[in-house]
Amino acid sequence: MFNSPILQMGYPTEASGSLIEKKPTVVFVLGGPGSGKGTQCANIVKHFGYTHFSAGDLLRAEIKSGSENGTMIQNMIKEGKIVPSEVTIRLLQKAILQSGNDKFLIDGFPRNEENRAAFEAIMLIEPAFVLYFECSEGEMERRLLGRNQGREDDNIETIRKRFRVFLESSIPVIEYYESKGKVRKINAGKPIEEVFEAVRTIFTAQDDKIAA
């Protein structure tokens, strides 16, 4: 299921072994649209030295690179097809291996249970924990509508659709990791500074755990 030779183009088969040797600390960052996770990821990078990867950004960068893999991704998107989990995970794998760091935030991924299962099967690692920014739909709507950045997807109908998709797809992932004691919930409806204080407590505890 996860061993398509076409999708493995450019990625050495020993990459997963190298990844285990690297012993990276991986934190999945999940939250609905407008939950403020992007802002908090920037704070975590600044204060705790993590490298921040967005699955969407990696796909866009691969397309822009003009590589064979990038062309394949672009064609799939043009045809309205969903990019297979393996493609995104191989890009994450490559980025982690090429990084000089050993602590990573993976933002907005896994989006669903299939993503999660594929990540663990291919990478052969599990996240240290999942940072979940919990925020009411009303507050997320207010923030997105107030951004005033001219984004086409910031209208009420689209926002509500994105929120529904998040609930349907990502909540099962959160529930799965919650059953393993790996979810750290943040009340993301508070002001940015207060949210980061809660985030800081979690990451300080994680750093202490690594150092122990």
Side-chain angles (χ1 to χ4, degrees):
M1 181 179 180
F2 302 122
N3 295 314
S4 161
I6 295 171
L7 300 183
Q8 285 190 7
M9 266 189 302
Y11 304 105
T13 52
E14 68 275 8
S16 294
S18 304
L19 206 58
I20 295 168
E21 286 166 28
K22 192 178 174 91
K23 292 181 180 172
T25 298
V26 171
V27 174
F28 290 149
V29 183
L30 297 175
S35 61
K37 59 188 174 66
T39 300
Q40 296 302 331
C41 279
N43 282 333
I44 296 163
V45 168
K46 183 180 174 184
H47 292 273
F48 292 96
Y50 278 69
T51 296
H52 176 212
F53 291 131
S54 154
D57 287 349
L58 287 173
L59 286 167
R60 284 186 284 274
E62 189 71 12
I63 290 168
K64 201 174 176 184
S65 75
S67 71
E68 199 173 345
N69 208 34
T71 303
M72 180 197 72
I73 293 165
Q74 188 172 35
N75 290 338
M76 291 191 80
I77 292 169
K78 275 183 184 172
E79 290 166 21
K81 293 178 183 174
I82 294 169
V83 177
S85 297
E86 184 179 8
V87 173
T88 306
I89 293 161
R90 294 291 178 192
L91 291 175
L92 283 166
Q93 187 180 56
K94 187 179 177 185
I96 288 171
L97 285 168
Q98 287 177 347
S99 166
N101 204 351
D102 60 357
K103 301 192 293 186
F104 303 93
L105 301 174
I106 299 182
D107 180 1
F109 187 92
R111 288 182 179 272
N112 53 43
E113 268 290 283
E114 196 270 329
N115 278 176
R116 179 200 65 73
F119 180 91
E120 292 186 8
I122 293 168
M123 303 283 256
L124 305 177
I125 56 172
E126 288 188 16
F129 60 90
V130 176
L131 190 65
Y132 173 37
F133 289 94
E134 212 170 17
C135 195
S136 70
E137 185 174 359
E139 176 61 17
M140 288 193 281
E141 276 183 16
R142 188 187 66 76
R143 289 176 182 178
L144 291 171
L145 292 169
R147 284 201 303 206
N148 198 24
Q149 293 176 338
R151 280 181 54 169
E152 286 178 22
D153 59 350
D154 282 355
N155 64 71
I156 198 78
E157 236 174 77
T158 311
I159 287 167
R160 286 177 180 168
K161 186 180 176 185
R162 286 167 66 202
F163 186 68
R164 280 196 304 275
V165 168
F166 170 75
L167 286 179
E168 288 164 11
S169 304
S170 298
I171 294 301
V173 175
I174 292 160
E175 287 172 346
Y176 171 83
Y177 284 117
E178 202 160 24
S179 72
K180 303 187 85 169
K182 287 194 168 193
V183 174
R184 309 287 181 268
K185 288 185 181 179
I186 297 286
N187 179 353
K190 294 180 177 181
I192 290 171
E193 295 78 13
E194 286 183 45
V195 173
F196 186 61
E197 278 311 306
V199 169
R200 187 197 294 273
T201 301
I202 289 166
F203 279 85
T204 300
Q206 178 63 23
D207 276 1
D208 290 347
K209 187 178 173 184
I210 293 169

